[in-house]
Amino acid sequence: MKTKNIMIVGVGGQGSLLASKLLGKLLLTKGYDIKVSEVHGMSQRGGSVVTYVRFGDKVYSPVIDKGEADYIVSFELLEAARYTEFLKPGGKIVTNTQQINPMPVITGAAEYPADLVKKMQAAGIDVDAFDALKLAEEAGSSKAVNIVLMGHLSKNFDFTMEEWMQAIESSVPAKFLELNKKAFMLGRDA
Amino acid sequence: MKTLMLGNEAVARGLFEAGCDFVSSYPGTPSTEITEAVAKYPEVYAEWAPNEKVAMEAAFGACLSGKRSFCGMKHVGLNVAADPLFTIAYTGVNAGMVIGVADDAGMHSSQNEQDSRHYARAAKVPMLEPSDSAEALAFAKLAYEISEEFDTPVFIKMCTRVAHSQSIVETGERVEVRKTYEKDPQKYIMMPGNAKRRHPIVEERTQKLIAWGETAPVNRIEEGEDHAFGIITSSTSYQYVKEVCGDKYPVLKLGMIWPLADGLLTKFAASVEKVIVVEELDSFIETRCHELGLNVAGKDIFPCIDEFSQNLVADKLGVYAPVCGAKLDDVIPARPPVMCAGCPHRGLYYTLAKNKVTAMGDIGCYTLGAVPPLAALDTTICMGASISGLHGFTKAGGGKAVAVIGDSTFMHSGVTGLINAAYNESNSTIIIVDNSITGMTGHQQNPTTGFNLKGDPCTKIDLETLCRAVGIRRVRVVDPYDLAQCDAALKEELAADEPSVIISRRPCALLKYVKHNKPLEVDPDKCKSCKMCMKIGCPAISMVDGKAVVDNTLCTGCGVCAQLCKFDALKAPQEV
Ligand SMILES: Cc1ncc(C[n+]2csc(CCOP(=O)(O)OP(=O)(O)O)c2C)c(N)n1
């Protein structure tokens, strides 16, 4: 199988590491070769963060480059717009519509661009945008945005529900399991 | 068992399986997780040392006693540990000793882009360089074998993309290795007479390692159908080359990056029409090839700045031209890292900015005080440089200035600077921003926190007593959430005619035990849009339609912004 590339982007602190952990667990059980590249350290302090998940028969590079992503899963709208160049022709962006102002916007040095979903669509990008924060809160915690997004992404793959649920079980602490399963389903049904 | 492991976790697993018994490290991205992961194995003693020099010396002591040891650090940490390194290279080891060092091409979390491979060459110490997690595990184990067979410390060199990428590893069992210590002054006491005898042994050792590297499986030639060119590479660059070229061109994949197997380089060069060296950062392999008289290309094609990627390699080798996805016309504002909402450093920096003092900074979360709107720092060089730099600045008549240094950084290399300020009587005002944790690298314990790496309670260094003991008479503690207190302390200490220390103390707002207050509320009728609250660069506050708005998912209720509001518009929610 040709290597598939999933980029997970967001704002440091939003929980993208859990999303990549979940994907990693799932893909490992499917017998793929896998590479997952994460950001630790400085950028986690509210900066723009990127995680690369790659799987296939044999994966060499740990990173995804411009023009290579099959999917970009974004925790925040501006971050989706930041990485459009990484999408491959026919690739898809799955994004939360939540907006978090970066410091230059907060201080008034820059503006948060308006109508980003429309603009991405106008540029010919396949964008699947929805309010993942609302669904996470509905599931019981705003922190479950990551799992809601994974639920929504799951519609694009033919892994079984059981396989996804197993991956969730081995990635989240037992006491948050029900919440996360609910978050996943809400994302999947959205 | 097959599992997905971070490169750093795989190194830790390799250390464990090799029977490593003693680990002493100082945190630093991207090396930290090696030590955090190895500390989880109950069989291994692991600790945070106050700095890398101490860690390396401790690891040497442990290997001397007969147990396999390890110390880990980031590239700049190796500068701090360079002194013991160059001489441990002479003494050699008893049980094996491995030094983990992680470079950060692209400077994801570093102040410079130095290439640690030069240390291997300069100190004459062998260096292994894995290209994925499976190799990280295998090379960690191999490093101990080399260490004991050739009587030398051995480097395992990581880079961000290998350290922080997960890939599949197969784990094995732990072996136990024990040697006995025997007194051997000629080997271990490096005074001139003995060192003179050891130096030739070191040179011979390098020759033996070169011979070993000629046939060792760590260095391998991967055949290719097209001999128009061949590529010499290692580490993550190898992965980019394979991603781009597949099996088309022959590749010499180097696992031991120092000493280089001269014969293998020569043989490989002879087997292809043209050789291209693909290596991140400096010319290192390439330089050796030139010394051997080999005609190779490298840095004339590839940059010595920033990290590589498959597109860059494809482009430079002329294999394909990458096609990027669509780009929006809008300018996408940058999202730099920021001080968190509720960060105790914020109040202190506001005070510094307001008083317009020159501030010699240091390295940690508090370096983010350099970013607008606070923009309260003037310098950042390396760990500890704030206090010593301030001493020079004030002695030379630079004017009203302070040093700002974190608790972990102060323990690392600030104490000696403070001793200098006391001893040479500079009129320095030193601020220790004590958030009770090593924040920037992801919450490691340090000597001031009262807990060790394993999370157990331990001796807690008392900063006030320490500062007084080195001769500072004026030592005071302030709460950085209290702006009036900070302001008064700063003014008084700047006015004082002797060196003084202000400890700005509040635990990091992200620590689990720290309780947050209710998010503040804005009374829109009282808000006069003066934007005073925006001067502290808090990510929880923004202006919406001309009025301040508090993001209640971020606000910790620290109240610093409320102290700035002259109109009483920012308030804690009223109890009902
Ligand atoms: C010589 C060296 N070792 C390690 C590092 C990595 N590093 C950067 S900041 C930091 C610790 C900062 O902790 P502290 O001083 O307590 O400040 P905080 O981040 O908590 O504000 C470390 C270990 C470095 N930059 N240089």
Side-chain angles (χ1 to χ4, degrees):
Chain A
M1 189 194 96
K2 220 176 137 14
T3 301
K4 281 246 178 270
N5 298 319
I6 305 174
M7 258 170 94
I8 304 171
V9 302
V11 178
Q14 277 191 303
S16 58
L17 286 187
L18 180 65
S20 60
K21 185 170 163 193
L22 186 132
L23 282 174
K25 296 261 183 197
L26 173 75
L27 297 166
L28 190 67
T29 59
K30 301 296 287 179
Y32 292 114
D33 190 23
I34 312 163
K35 282 208 172 132
V36 179
S37 250
E38 307 166 348
V39 180
H40 298 243
M42 186 92 172
S43 328
Q44 277 187 302
R45 301 271 172 265
S48 168
V49 292
V50 190
T51 305
Y52 307 105
V53 179
R54 312 191 70 211
F55 62 102
D57 293 335
K58 174 74 195 160
V59 181
Y60 287 107
S61 170
V63 299
I64 297 169
D65 216 329
K66 287 183 180 169
E68 291 188 336
D70 294 279
Y71 295 94
I72 296 179
V73 181
S74 181
F75 284 59
E76 198 273 348
L77 194 55
L78 185 68
E79 296 311 309
R82 187 185 311 284
Y83 294 101
T84 55
E85 280 181 284
F86 283 76
L87 217 54
K88 80 158 53 145
K92 183 174 180 173
I93 293 183
V94 174
T95 183
N96 184 7
T97 47
Q98 186 188 356
Q99 301 192 5
I100 302 174
N101 286 337
M103 197 44 73
V105 171
I106 291 179
T107 60
E111 247 177 78
Y112 197 111
D115 301 322
L116 283 172
V117 175
K118 275 194 204 133
K119 283 173 184 161
M120 286 192 273
Q121 282 162 344
I125 300 167
D126 183 1
V127 185
D128 182 356
F130 73 112
D131 190 343
L133 180 61
K134 201 178 95 202
L135 297 180
E137 281 165 353
E138 201 178 314
S141 164
S142 60
K143 291 210 175 86
V145 163
N146 45 18
I147 303 295
V148 172
L149 281 164
M150 286 298 107
H152 204 65
L153 176 75
S154 74
K155 298 201 285 188
N156 297 287
F157 294 89
D158 44 18
F159 303 125
T160 66
M161 259 328 267
E162 207 187 326
E163 288 165 338
W164 283 104
M165 286 303 148
Q166 263 175 10
I168 296 177
E169 274 163 34
S170 56
S171 318
V172 306
K175 63 173 172 174
F176 297 123
L177 191 59
E178 281 319 305
L179 189 160
N180 278 299
K181 281 185 171 175
K182 189 171 171 198
F184 186 89
M185 290 315 298
L186 285 171
R188 193 172 167 101
D189 294 340
Chain B
M1 200 179 73
K2 269 192 176 176
T3 41
L4 256 189
M5 264 192 197
L6 212 55
N8 280 347
E9 288 168 356
V11 172
R13 180 75 203 179
L15 299 176
F16 166 76
E17 289 181 12
C20 171
D21 265 303
F22 179 97
V23 173
S24 185
S25 302
Y26 184 72
T29 315
S31 71
T32 314
E33 298 81 10
I34 302 175
T35 302
E36 287 179 330
V38 85
K40 297 208 172 95
Y41 297 104
E43 292 89 340
V44 185
Y45 171 82
E47 65 179 25
W48 290 127
N51 70 31
E52 294 85 354
K53 175 174 167 358
V54 173
M56 189 178 287
E57 291 156 352
F60 170 72
C63 93
L64 189 68
S65 89
K67 292 188 173 172
R68 288 187 164 180
S69 69
F70 173 82
C71 59
M73 61 204 67
K74 69 182 294 174
H75 59 334
V76 286
L78 194 50
N79 303 332
V80 178
D83 200 7
L85 172 71
F86 278 74
T87 302
I88 297 170
Y90 275 34
T91 62
V93 301
N94 182 22
M97 171 171 168
V98 175
I99 302 162
V101 59
D103 281 9
D104 189 19
M107 289 181 277
H108 297 270
S109 339
S110 303
Q111 72 266 37
N112 75 29
E113 209 169 24
Q114 77 186 42
D115 188 332
S116 298
R117 296 176 301 173
H118 297 300
Y119 272 106
R121 186 171 183 162
K124 305 168 197 287
V125 167
M127 179 177 267
L128 302 179
E129 193 177 39
S131 69
D132 62 15
S133 299
E135 282 189 351
L137 195 161
F139 286 12
K141 291 163 83 169
L142 176 65
Y144 281 108
E145 284 167 34
I146 297 174
S147 175
E148 285 167 11
E149 185 179 338
F150 293 90
D151 191 9
T152 176
V154 177
F155 278 118
I156 178 156
K157 199 220 114 189
M158 305 294 281
C159 65
T160 298
R161 293 304 178 185
V162 176
H164 287 167
S165 295
Q166 299 181 43
S167 55
I168 297 171
V169 302
E170 191 112 30
T171 56
E173 298 294 314
R174 175 173 168 95
V175 297
E176 297 291 345
V177 178
R178 292 280 181 285
K179 310 247 169 179
T180 46
Y181 168 65
E182 273 161 46
K183 194 171 170 125
D184 187 351
Q186 294 205 339
K187 184 168 187 294
Y188 296 122
I189 299 180
M190 284 303 95
M191 43 192 196
N194 292 339
K196 272 187 183 174
R197 273 191 292 274
R198 290 298 299 178
H199 189 182
I201 296 173
V202 172
E203 299 302 332
E204 268 167 44
R205 179 177 77 200
T206 299
Q207 293 310 313
K208 285 183 194 153
L209 278 159
I210 292 174
W212 178 85
E214 303 290 3
T215 54
V218 275
N219 300 323
R220 64 170 187 262
I221 292 175
E222 296 180 3
E223 273 313 326
E225 64 249 27
D226 187 344
H227 284 233
F229 60 82
I231 294 159
I232 304 180
T233 185
S234 75
S235 184
T236 188
S237 299
Y238 162 78
Q239 305 290 359
Y240 303 138
V241 166
K242 293 299 279 188
E243 180 83 30
V244 167
C245 304
D247 297 331
K248 188 160 186 225
Y249 304 106
V251 170
L252 171 54
K253 197 272 185 196
L254 296 169
M256 184 163 75
I257 208 71
W258 191 260
L260 286 159
D262 296 343
L264 193 59
L265 296 175
T266 310
K267 183 178 114 187
F268 182 76
S271 74
V272 293
E273 283 165 44
K274 183 179 172 192
V275 179
I276 303 175
V277 178
V278 183
E279 58 186 329
E280 280 183 337
L281 301 181
D282 298 344
S283 162
F284 184 81
I285 305 171
E286 185 190 353
T287 299
R288 185 68 196 150
C289 289
H290 289 315
E291 285 167 358
L292 295 170
L294 305 176
N295 182 16
V296 305
K299 291 297 161 190
D300 47 342
I301 310 174
F302 285 92
C304 64
I305 296 168
D306 210 346
E307 60 177 345
F308 292 177
S309 69
Q310 48 266 42
N311 280 356
L312 178 117
V313 171
D315 177 47
K316 299 290 177 194
L317 292 180
V319 180
Y320 60 77
V323 184
C324 299
K327 189 169 186 268
L328 301 188
D329 296 332
D330 287 76
V331 177
I332 306 292
R335 191 186 297 278
V338 290
M339 260 187 235
C340 307
C343 177
H345 299 330
R346 181 172 284 107
L348 194 267
Y349 277 121
Y350 174 76
T351 309
L352 295 183
K354 190 181 142 206
N355 283 282
K356 297 196 170 66
V357 291
T358 302
M360 313 292 272
D362 224 296
I363 304 203
C365 285
Y366 53 95
T367 311
L368 294 168
V371 182
L374 288 164
L377 285 177
D378 290 77
T379 61
T380 293
I381 308 293
C382 65
M383 292 188 84
S386 60
I387 301 181
S388 11
L390 173 69
H391 172 78
F393 191 81
T394 46
K395 275 272 173 191
K400 229 174 39 167
V402 298
V404 185
I405 187 165
D407 48 333
S408 183
T409 307
F410 180 68
M411 282 292 121
H412 177 278
S413 46
V415 186
T416 38
L418 189 67
I419 290 171
N420 187 44
Y423 171 52
N424 285 311
E425 299 179 336
S426 73
N427 196 356
S428 293
T429 303
I430 291 131
I431 303 171
I432 304 175
V433 283
D434 176 12
N435 60 355
S436 308
I437 202 75
T438 313
M440 179 93 282
T441 42
H443 280 184
Q444 289 75 31
Q445 303 297 342
N446 71 53
T448 69
T449 66
F451 292 91
N452 63 23
L453 167 56
K454 297 255 182 182
D456 300 322
C458 61
T459 303
K460 181 179 156 89
I461 307 302
D462 186 84
L463 283 174
E464 294 91 311
T465 312
L466 175 61
C467 295
R468 288 200 184 95
V470 304
I472 305 292
R473 285 178 294 262
R474 298 182 69 97
V475 180
R476 63 198 284 179
V477 179
V478 297
D479 176 358
Y481 279 180
D482 186 338
L483 295 182
Q485 201 188 25
C486 289
D487 195 60
L490 179 68
K491 291 195 163 89
E492 281 168 33
E493 297 314 324
L494 279 172
D497 205 16
E498 59 179 302
S500 56
V501 170
I502 302 172
I503 301 170
S504 168
R505 179 169 289 149
R506 258 273 164 193
C508 168
L510 298 183
L511 284 168
K512 284 218 175 73
Y513 68 80
V514 172
K515 291 216 170 56
H516 294 170
N517 295 326
K518 291 228 171 71
L520 297 196
E521 288 172 351
V522 182
D523 182 341
D525 296 332
K526 287 188 177 168
C527 176
K528 297 282 180 279
S529 316
C530 70
K531 296 192 180 166
M532 266 310 280
C533 57
M534 302 296 292
K535 292 201 167 168
I536 50 174
C538 177
I541 311 175
S542 47
M543 298 298 283
V544 177
D545 301 328
K547 301 277 178 184
V549 175
V550 171
D551 179 340
N552 59 10
T553 64
L554 292 177
C555 177
T556 67
C558 77
V560 169
C561 58
Q563 294 168 55
L564 294 174
C565 183
K566 293 196 182 74
F567 308 103
D568 238 10
L570 281 152
K571 276 218 182 98
Q574 299 299 318
E575 295 291 334
V576 231

